[in-house]
């Protein structure tokens, strides 16, 4: 078994830990730019539905990456409609309406299981088999055009991260916070979800805390981003690679399992969206699109309408947004995210 064969999922999962350590060292030596700083390399184990994946996580220039084994025959896409989903996830009544949801209801009818299956199948990529290269992939997606700086606690004003970079825009950022001056105003006050100053900084409110994730920002299009990533030895994931990493090789519409549902019928368990999947990749709560290396966009910018399946579907492993990317259009960090990858292929040595 040669080096590349050993990095295939069917072989990788059987290898002794000593051999895995040797392989990851070779990956870092031959496929990661020597200009990149590699720190905190350590073994991790993830599990789902009784299947375990023992792999490596590391920091590349202070950004978290994980090694994802490859496969010669990944089954991707979806053509099973609502098969496997609980009736409560799609058969429930509407809680509230919005223009987009009402438009979908007029188009598809949503009167029976076949209507819902048609909508799901047309909202997901086609069924196919693909060969996926092993890769080092970023654990979480970043706002497009941004580089992570640190975390700001809005209660204590404590900052954790790259202090020198934060100081370049700290005063300007603090000036955007307008605290309530009365009790009545405090009842209506809410921190802004995102604060962007183009070509300067971007602050995104964490979905479960009052902390802001802070980033440097420079406006880019997909074309510009790909050029910059290539110069650093990275690439964007293809749609095939994205779906494989998101679903972690499993055949479920939702990566947390089609059979799971909350007591109110929801198929969108927020606590699991913030947890790494079996490959160690995270696809958190975010309102917007994630880029691939083509025109297909994953996830979506969607106003919740209170219907379980409609609100959950953009988080499905095989979901494909109906919006088509314009490669040369400058992209907002509030709406678009990207995930770096280093592909482990023979022609890249």
């Amino acid at each position: 078994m040669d080096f590349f064969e050993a990095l295939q999922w069917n072989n990788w999962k059987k290898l002794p830990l000593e051999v895995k350590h040797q392989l990851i060292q070779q990956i870092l030596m031959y496929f990661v730019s020597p200009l990149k700083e590699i720190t905190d390399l350590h073994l991790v184990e993830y599990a789902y539905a009784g299947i375990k994946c023992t792999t490596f996580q590391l920091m590349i220039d202070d950004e978290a990456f994980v090694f994802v084994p490859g496969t010669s025959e990944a089954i991707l896409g979806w053509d099973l409609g609502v098969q496997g989903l609980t009736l409560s996830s799609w058969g429930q009544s509407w809680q509230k309406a919005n223009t987009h949801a009402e438009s979908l209801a007029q188009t598809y009818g949503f009167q029976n299981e076949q209507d819902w299956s048609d909508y799901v199948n047309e909202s997901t990529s086609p069924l196919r088999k693909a060969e996926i290269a092993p890769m080092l992939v970023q654990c979480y997606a970043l706002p497009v055009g941004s580089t992570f700086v640190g975390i700001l606690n809005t209660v204590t004003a404590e900052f954790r991260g790259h202090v020198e970079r934060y100081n370049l825009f700290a005063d300007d950022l603090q000036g955007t916070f307008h605290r309530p001056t009365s009790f009545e105003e405090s009842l209506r006050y809410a921190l802004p979800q995102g604060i962007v100053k183009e070509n300067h900084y971007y602050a995104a409110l964490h979905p479960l805390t009052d902390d802001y994730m802070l980033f440097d920002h420079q406006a880019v299009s997909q074309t510009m981003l790909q050029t910059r990533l290539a110069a650093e030895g990275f690439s964007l994931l293809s749609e095939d690679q994205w779906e494989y990493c998101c679903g972690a090789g499993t055949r479920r519409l939702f990566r947390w399992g089609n059979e799971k549902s909350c007591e109110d019928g929801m198929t969108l368990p927020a606590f699991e969206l913030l947890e790494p999947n079996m490959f160690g990749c995270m696809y958190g709560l975010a309102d917007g699109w994630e880029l691939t290396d083509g025109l297909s966009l994953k996830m979506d910018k969607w106003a919740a309408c209170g219907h379980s399946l409609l609100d959950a579907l953009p988080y499905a492993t095989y979901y494909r947004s109906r919006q088509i990317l314009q490669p040369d259009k400058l992209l907002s960090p509030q709406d678009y995210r990207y995930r770096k990858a280093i592909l482990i292929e023979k022609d890249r040595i």
Side-chain angles (χ1 to χ4, degrees):
M1 181 166 44
D2 68 15
F3 171 75
F4 291 98
E5 291 174 338
L7 301 182
Q8 296 294 299
W9 171 238
N10 287 338
N11 295 322
W12 173 266
K13 61 186 178 182
K14 303 173 186 175
L15 295 175
L17 291 181
E18 180 181 354
V19 176
K20 290 183 177 180
H21 277 281
Q22 294 171 357
L23 289 170
I24 195 67
Q25 291 298 336
Q26 292 178 44
I27 289 172
L28 300 181
M29 180 181 300
Y30 294 111
F31 290 92
V32 181
S33 168
L35 301 178
K36 297 296 179 183
E37 182 183 23
I38 299 173
T39 56
D40 195 25
L41 174 66
H42 60 281
L43 200 68
V44 290
E45 184 175 275
Y46 299 102
Y48 182 78
I51 302 174
K52 295 182 180 180
C53 178
T54 302
T55 187
F56 290 91
Q57 188 171 313
L58 65 151
M59 304 295 286
I60 301 179
D61 284 352
D62 294 326
E63 296 178 344
F65 283 75
V66 66
F67 171 69
V68 173
T71 181
S72 60
E73 44 187 28
I75 307 299
L76 305 170
W78 190 258
D79 65 352
L80 297 178
V82 296
Q83 182 177 323
L85 300 181
T86 60
L87 175 63
S88 62
S89 69
W90 55 267
Q92 67 178 127
S93 59
W94 301 88
Q95 295 179 23
K96 56 183 177 180
N98 60 42
T99 303
H100 184 53
E102 290 175 347
S103 174
L104 290 175
Q106 291 175 2
T107 301
Y108 291 92
F110 294 151
Q111 298 299 313
N112 53 48
E113 181 175 345
Q114 187 58 54
D115 293 341
W116 282 103
S117 288
D118 290 343
Y119 169 66
V120 170
N121 289 339
E122 291 177 19
S123 300
T124 49
S125 62
L127 188 67
R128 63 201 185 279
K129 181 184 290 186
E131 182 174 350
I132 307 294
M135 66 190 92
L136 293 171
V137 62
Q138 199 160 29
C139 294
Y140 49 84
L142 296 176
V144 71
S146 70
T147 304
F148 183 64
V149 173
I151 300 173
L152 175 66
N153 184 305
T154 59
V155 176
T156 66
E158 177 187 3
F159 172 78
R160 306 188 305 278
H162 299 276
V163 177
E164 291 183 359
R165 287 161 58 190
Y166 170 60
N167 286 340
L168 295 176
F169 58 81
D171 291 342
D172 190 276
L173 174 63
Q174 292 288 349
T176 65
F177 297 125
H178 301 289
R179 296 294 182 181
T181 57
S182 67
F183 175 74
E184 290 75 13
E185 187 179 346
S186 68
L187 296 176
R188 301 186 301 272
Y189 178 77
L191 290 167
Q193 293 296 311
I195 304 169
V196 59
K197 186 168 185 179
E198 193 168 289
N199 296 320
H200 198 190
Y201 65 83
Y202 173 58
L205 188 65
H206 191 281
L208 298 182
T209 71
D210 285 336
D211 291 345
Y212 274 103
M213 311 292 286
L214 304 184
F215 305 87
D216 292 329
H217 176 255
Q218 187 172 10
V220 295
S221 65
Q222 183 206 43
T223 302
M224 296 165 62
L225 177 62
Q226 288 179 297
T227 299
R228 294 177 186 180
L229 291 179
E232 297 182 13
F234 297 108
S235 64
L236 293 175
L237 297 175
S238 68
E239 184 174 31
D240 288 350
Q241 293 160 352
W242 194 98
E243 290 184 3
Y244 174 69
C245 289
C246 181
T250 63
R251 283 300 293 164
R252 293 174 171 85
L253 180 60
F254 295 104
R255 59 187 177 276
W256 56 82
N258 297 350
E259 69 282 358
K260 290 188 178 181
S261 60
C262 298
E263 293 180 358
D264 61 356
M266 293 296 289
T267 58
L268 186 62
F271 63 93
E272 292 197 22
L273 281 176
L274 298 173
E275 293 295 321
N277 65 14
M278 192 177 70
F279 282 161
C281 297
M282 290 172 277
Y283 298 81
L285 288 165
D287 182 22
W289 297 275
E290 190 168 327
L291 300 177
T292 65
D293 68 354
L295 300 182
S296 295
L297 293 166
K298 312 306 284 185
M299 307 180 77
D300 218 322
K301 192 168 181 65
W302 170 258
C305 65
H307 188 279
S308 297
L309 183 54
L310 287 180
D311 289 342
L313 195 59
Y315 296 92
T317 297
Y318 311 110
Y319 180 82
R320 178 191 281 177
S321 174
R322 284 169 165 77
Q323 172 151 315
I324 303 299
L325 178 72
Q326 299 178 46
D328 296 320
K329 178 184 177 181
L330 293 181
L331 303 174
S332 166
Q334 293 178 294
D335 295 336
Y336 295 89
R337 298 177 302 282
Y338 74 104
R339 190 180 302 260
K340 302 175 187 175
I342 299 175
L343 303 184
I344 316 302
E345 299 175 315
K346 291 182 180 179
D347 60 0
R348 291 176 177 260
I349 297 180

